[in-house]
Amino acid sequence: MIPVFANGTGETSSVTLTLSEVHAEGYPTTLADYRFAELVAERTEGRVTIDVYSGGTLYGEETGSIEALQIGDLDFARVSASPVASYVPALNVIQLPYLYRDGDHMWEVLNGPIGQEMLEEIQASGSGLVGLCYYDAGARNFYTTKPVQSVADMAGLKIRLQNNAMMVEMVQLLGGNGVTGIGPNEVYSAISQGTIDGAENNWPTYESMGDYEAAPYFILDGHTRVPEILLASEAVIDKVSAEDWEIIKECAKETQEYEIEQWALREESSREKVVAAGVTVYEPTAEELQEFQDRMAPIYEEYGAGYEDMIEEIMNTGL
Ligand code: BDP
């Protein structure tokens, strides 16, 4: 039986929507994308089908997928909050360097009023995007072709970053040079070819993209915790019935906990895998780490301007 919904014209129809994901099959966010698609198909009784394109096959660069969502060329994208901040600047506040004590702290903020307000801000800002839910992406760390143990070692290093001006400034403040415009699936070859000296990411991406083979020095500086976001194009609202739009939003929220569970498992197995492969992991001393943090003061001044109370509230959350 072909599932149908009344589209207000007296006719009935079903719709197939597209979701773009840069990660490979089996990666925690990709698993969550499929879970989302499954739930939506089930609850709309087949009226809405979501096709997941993983591995960056549709858009290798998240900026490309975000812009496609804005003009309605793409329906959903699972992206990092980092490039989204170029379109919704307020989002920088929830990904400031060294903002969270740990993952629990971040989740308390994201699931609380500030996190939910930020998610709503994505649509309220007029970006043409809708923030459906957050996913975990752990902490990001630098990895390089030469050992880095302190801020001094960052001098002159070309580090690939996501498309986010705040992150470029972060690396500049540490003495390095931030390089943008390289998709996550191209980092390995950019390092191998010597275009860059390293990049920064969490354990699972470092492992799954194979970057650990090209840049085997990993410093656990944990400079940022940048959540993932499942985005919809605002155009989807006109492609489905009001009831199905509510179902889509509810299904997305339901996948968050599932992704967080998958994330914890993968973070551990990826770490084990790269360590077994011979990666040198450096754990900075409290003093060395303090120097990284101290360098971030201008970012708090610039990107925190107007959000001082919110930042204080974030910092006090869970204390
Ligand atoms: C990974 C995120 C992915 C980003 C990638 C990057 O999961 O969405 O595209 O980082 O650095 O951690 O571009």
Side-chain angles (χ1 to χ4, degrees):
M1 195 186 81
I2 300 173
V4 287
F5 79 86
N7 62 8
T9 61
E11 297 163 20
T12 51
S13 61
S14 61
V15 63
T16 299
L17 304 174
T18 302
L19 188 156
S20 170
E21 166 66 72
V22 292
H23 286 300
E25 295 290 306
Y27 194 91
T29 54
T30 313
L31 294 173
D33 300 335
Y34 282 113
R35 175 64 65 98
F36 169 58
E38 246 172 61
L39 285 175
V40 169
E42 245 171 63
R43 304 240 178 108
T44 62
E45 297 173 329
R47 291 183 300 274
V48 180
T49 303
I50 299 175
D51 286 343
V52 175
Y53 290 83
S54 64
T57 45
L58 280 187
Y59 299 91
E61 258 272 66
E62 292 184 342
T63 303
S65 65
I66 294 167
E67 288 173 358
L69 292 173
Q70 289 183 309
I71 57 171
D73 262 5
L74 174 68
D75 303 303
F76 301 98
R78 196 293 313 156
V79 297
S80 165
S82 193
V84 186
S86 301
Y87 306 87
V88 187
L91 282 179
N92 274 321
V93 177
I94 56 162
Q95 54 187 303
L96 283 161
Y98 303 105
L99 178 65
Y100 303 109
R101 296 180 295 279
D102 53 25
D104 288 345
H105 179 198
M106 180 188 78
W107 279 113
E108 210 174 324
V109 172
L110 296 183
N111 286 331
I114 294 180
Q116 295 310 301
E117 195 184 301
M118 284 293 169
L119 203 56
E120 277 159 29
E121 175 62 17
I122 296 175
Q123 188 178 5
S125 68
S127 61
L129 309 166
V130 183
L132 297 175
C133 67
Y134 293 112
Y135 291 146
D136 208 347
R140 296 178 77 97
N141 304 278
F142 292 111
Y143 51 88
T144 44
T145 52
K146 302 185 296 204
V148 168
Q149 302 192 338
S150 61
V151 170
D153 295 332
M154 294 286 291
L157 294 184
K158 288 197 225 103
I159 304 289
R160 179 271 177 186
L161 297 165
Q162 294 169 285
N163 286 329
N164 177 312
M166 179 174 84
M167 303 306 177
V168 173
E169 195 172 329
M170 170 182 77
V171 165
Q172 259 157 10
L173 290 167
L174 295 171
N177 297 309
V179 179
T180 58
I182 301 175
N185 292 284
E186 295 164 352
V187 173
Y188 171 84
S189 58
I191 298 171
S192 307
Q193 289 161 10
T195 318
I196 50 174
D197 303 305
E200 46 86 59
N201 223 309
N202 49 45
W203 289 114
T205 299
Y206 181 53
E207 176 260 309
S208 95
M209 299 291 182
D211 298 358
Y212 66 98
E213 290 175 0
Y217 295 95
F218 194 88
I219 174 169
L220 276 173
D221 67 291
H223 49 270
T224 47
R225 280 188 182 270
V226 180
E228 315 280 21
I229 301 184
L230 181 59
L231 289 177
S233 162
E234 230 178 2
V236 173
I237 301 172
D238 297 326
K239 291 189 182 178
V240 300
S241 67
E243 183 202 346
D244 288 345
W245 174 241
E246 290 310 310
I247 293 176
I248 287 171
K249 289 196 288 184
E250 169 195 302
C251 292
K253 295 248 184 266
E254 277 186 44
T255 59
Q256 185 179 291
E257 280 309 307
Y258 169 73
E259 195 275 350
I260 295 173
E261 279 164 34
Q262 294 301 318
W263 180 261
L265 297 172
R266 182 61 183 258
E267 204 171 36
E268 185 58 18
S269 64
S270 291
R271 189 186 58 80
E272 281 169 9
K273 185 174 166 186
V274 301
V275 168
V279 159
T280 305
V281 181
Y282 184 71
E283 207 164 327
T285 63
E287 275 167 27
E288 283 162 346
L289 204 55
Q290 192 59 51
E291 203 188 341
F292 279 86
Q293 293 191 28
D294 289 347
R295 294 286 181 109
M296 298 301 123
I299 286 196
Y300 275 73
E301 262 174 49
E302 184 181 342
Y303 291 89
Y307 294 100
E308 292 80 1
D309 293 348
M310 192 183 273
I311 292 170
E312 204 185 321
E313 208 179 318
I314 292 176
M315 287 179 160
N316 290 331
T317 298
L319 287 181

